[in-house]
Amino acid sequence: MKTRDRILVTSLELFNLCGEPNVTTIDIANEMDISPGNLYYHFRNKDEIIFELFQAFETAIHEALQSPAEMGLDMMDYWMYVHMIFEKIWEHRFLYRDPATILERNERLQKKFNRILEKKRESALVIVERMRQESMIQISATEAERLAINATMTVTYWLNFQHIRHLTAHHEPDDLGLGVYQVMSLFAPYLPVEGREMLEAVAETYLGSTSSSDSFK
């Protein structure tokens, strides 16, 4: 692996593990056992590293956010779609741990992150409309927009919520399924009885008996 690529891989690992504000370029160089000068040859500062990592994340998340094109999808399909989005966020979770700290330093990233937020909302709205067309849910246009926004907020802030809740445990939980369940549960009020039963059956498959509020204990 080329040194430039190693810098990106190591930086991502350290940012995810320790939080970006707690990692310096010297830390990255020491972890790689290279000189700071060697690192600065490839990246002038930490923000350049962050920008390149963000570009990789941007590509991955936009691909993941492409709404499923097939008709006739079931609850399991939508569960897996949301899970894939959470996986991409988890891979670059340092961007979501304290986004304001990073985005306030870089106007270009602010615009890019806002485009990602809007893409999340649009994708959620497409799925809501498709589910409505296939009579999976009963929902008004106003409710659909509100549901799309709530789903966007939950996807965006779930890992941050989990991180804060587990600060004293000195580890970050990687149970993405629980986050998926929180997103999917937003649809429950608009599902018919059989739809809610199917959602709980899918949740049971992935979460076992923890699919209820007991998961928060």
Side-chain angles (χ1 to χ4, degrees):
M1 184 183 294
K2 295 180 179 179
T3 300
R4 181 184 180 85
D5 294 331
R6 288 180 57 218
I7 292 172
L8 292 172
V9 170
T10 303
S11 298
L12 180 58
E13 290 175 350
L14 290 177
F15 291 164
N16 282 341
L17 179 65
C18 306
E20 177 272 330
N22 302 315
V23 178
T24 67
T25 51
I26 301 299
D27 294 327
I28 298 168
N30 288 339
E31 181 69 19
M32 296 178 62
D33 197 22
I34 63 174
S35 68
N38 195 349
L39 186 148
Y40 295 137
Y41 173 80
H42 297 279
F43 297 96
R44 289 178 299 177
N45 51 52
K46 189 170 69 168
D47 281 345
E48 285 193 356
I49 297 174
I50 292 170
F51 187 79
E52 189 146 339
L53 289 173
F54 190 98
Q55 286 185 303
F57 168 71
E58 184 180 34
T59 298
I61 196 66
H62 275 293
E63 290 177 357
L65 284 169
Q66 294 302 315
S67 302
E70 305 93 329
M71 299 297 286
L73 299 179
D74 59 21
M75 201 64 67
M76 180 75 77
D77 296 316
Y78 288 118
W79 180 286
M80 296 309 298
Y81 169 73
V82 176
H83 197 283
M84 181 173 60
I85 294 171
F86 268 103
E87 286 180 343
K88 297 306 177 184
I89 292 175
W90 176 258
E91 290 170 4
H92 289 77
R93 57 192 175 278
F94 80 93
L95 294 169
Y96 283 76
R97 178 177 289 174
D98 187 10
T101 300
I102 297 175
L103 299 180
E104 286 173 353
R105 299 201 309 259
N106 195 312
E107 187 175 346
R108 288 188 301 172
L109 292 190
Q110 292 177 30
K111 294 178 179 178
K112 285 177 173 289
F113 200 85
N114 274 319
R115 284 198 292 268
I116 290 173
L117 291 178
E118 180 58 20
K119 179 63 177 178
K120 290 177 185 175
R121 188 196 66 81
E122 291 175 354
S123 297
L125 201 54
V126 168
I127 288 175
V128 171
E129 178 58 22
R130 182 170 295 135
M131 294 176 75
R132 188 192 65 78
Q133 290 175 356
E134 298 186 6
S135 300
M136 292 182 67
I137 58 175
Q138 294 182 340
I139 191 169
S140 68
T142 300
E143 290 170 329
E145 180 64 33
R146 186 162 57 242
L147 177 57
I149 292 174
N150 287 339
T152 299
M153 289 192 297
T154 303
V155 168
T156 301
Y157 293 106
W158 174 254
L159 291 182
N160 204 4
F161 170 73
Q162 284 288 77
H163 173 70
I164 292 172
R165 290 184 65 245
H166 292 83
L167 283 176
T168 57
H170 303 294
H171 76 281
E172 193 156 15
D174 59 356
D175 184 4
L176 304 184
L178 188 55
V180 178
Y181 179 73
Q182 296 308 310
V183 174
M184 297 300 295
S185 66
L186 295 172
F187 290 76
Y190 309 101
L191 294 170
V193 174
E194 60 271 22
R196 291 196 293 271
E197 291 175 349
M198 178 61 69
L199 174 58
E200 290 302 322
V202 173
E204 180 72 19
T205 298
Y206 284 89
L207 303 177
S209 60
T210 64
S211 59
S212 68
S213 59
D214 291 341
S215 304
F216 293 100
K217 296 178 180 179

